Amino acid sequence: MEENKFNFSEEDAQLKKDKNVEESKKAVKKDAEGLLKSITVFFKELLDFRDDTDRDATIEAIKADIPFKGATAWILICSIFVASIGLNADSTAVVIGAMLISPLMGPILGIGMSIAINDIDTLRKSLINLATMLVLSLLTAFLFFKFFPLGNQETSELLGRVKPDIRDVLIAFFGGLALIIARTKRGTIASVIFGVAIATALMPPLCTAGYGLAHGNLTYFLGAMNLFTINTIFIALATFIVLKLLRFPMLKYANSAKRRRTARFAALVAVVVMIYPTITFLRVLKSSGFENDYNNFISKEIKLNQDLWFQNSTLNTEEKKITLYFNGEIAEATESDLLNELKSYEKISDFKLEIFGNKNRSFDKISDAYDRAIRDLDEKDHIISGLRNEVEVLREELRFVNGGSSVVSFSNLSRDAKVRFSDLMYFSYAKTLESKDFINTDTLEVATVKWNETLNDSLIAIKEKQLNDWLKEQLKAKQVIIKRD
């Protein structure tokens, strides 16, 4: 009996324990569900902006910015001039200023909005105004770069707008999202609008396209217009998506047939508009992948290789070819290694690799040629230095032997004579041979002088006496004859 009672007590304790564990699990599960629900509510309140949307005011504001005439036209012309000057001067600050005053954003938002709400009239107005702005902008930029008198260098600000990549696509799309979200909010955030105007950069591509037209550079023109088209379409696409998510009311037409035609046309335009950005995004994404792998290959596999004397390289994505130029001879083993390394880069693994090395300019040969050139230069410098010294001696130290015992520097003699006798205007010195009996020969020291014309004869006679005595002392001669020129 006692044994049964003991067994019953153990079973009761186990059941109670299991019940507590189950209740604990339910409590934890309930707390987790409550936490998850709290997090969900938090993020919903954080990210949901539908309750803060003013649909009517947004539509009216976007429609108000679409018209292009009068002051808006002049503002556009001025902003194009400012942007062109900024691109020409390579001034980022000036280009940013032009972006802030540009009215180009209005028709672009109008295109996205009109497709989203099925408003064909607004779409027509937006397209017409955007086309007018586009033509006026290109014409203004063309005239500036065609006739600007200070020259048109290809600055970094210009070159940065001729080849769009994946970053430009993302900037345009997310900038457009930020812009339309700010426009739909009650109390538009002006700082966001200004920031998007700077980030998406609609003005500089048009100015660069005008530069291409002015200089007949079709590559610059097409590249810049491609960037402008990307910015325009992705901003309009972002506008379309946001307004659809916010469920802006579709425009209703009294005529059901017209409503159906309008809806079909708007849907067709939306599909057509979507095709280009999709293709562009994929193409630019692919091109960016090529560029990224190519740059990594060059920097990691070639530039960091101390055994390679790298000179230059080119990437041709259309022909799938990479061309490398080296100074010095490139061994076959090195070429094989580079080909194997190239295969490790996924995007360019199937590219053809062309390697050009200058076989007549190997490192050893260049080093020998350099050493020979240095030796030749040293030898020539030594010869030139000796000749220069000889010329200097001949020029400055014309020597005259007096009795075979003394040497006189004419340059020093003439300089000292001028210092002692400031009225001396001309001085020459020579040794002359004479014979009185035509048998014996004597050597005469002869100095020819010319005095200042303002001196009278008596003063000249005194100075010549002083000069004669001084010359005898300097030349260590018993007699010096002085003649007047």
Side-chain angles (χ1 to χ4, degrees), residues 298 302 310 312-313 322-326 338 353-356:
I298 295 298
I302 296 179
F310 179 65
N312 196 7
S313 64
I322 296 175
T323 307
L324 304 175
Y325 299 92
F326 296 93
L338 291 176
L353 193 63
E354 289 188 350
I355 298 176
F356 293 95

Side-chain angles (χ1 to χ4, degrees), residues 34 41 57 241 277 377 430 464:
V41 171
I241 292 174
L377 287 174
E464 284 184 353

Side-chain angles (χ1 to χ4, degrees), residues 299-323:
S299 61
K300 294 179 181 179
E301 311 300 338
I302 296 179
K303 290 185 178 180
L304 293 181
N305 192 336
Q306 299 298 325
D307 297 330
L308 297 177
W309 192 350
F310 179 65
Q311 183 179 10
N312 196 7
S313 64
T314 58
L315 172 67
N316 190 330
T317 57
E318 295 181 358
E319 299 180 6
K320 288 192 173 184
K321 181 175 66 176
I322 296 175
T323 307

Side-chain angles (χ1 to χ4, degrees), residues 356-375:
F356 293 95
N358 194 332
K359 296 183 179 181
N360 295 324
R361 295 178 60 191
S362 66
F363 180 78
D364 294 336
K365 292 180 179 179
I366 292 178
S367 297
D368 293 341
Y370 177 77
D371 293 338
R372 288 197 302 271
I374 292 297
R375 288 196 297 270

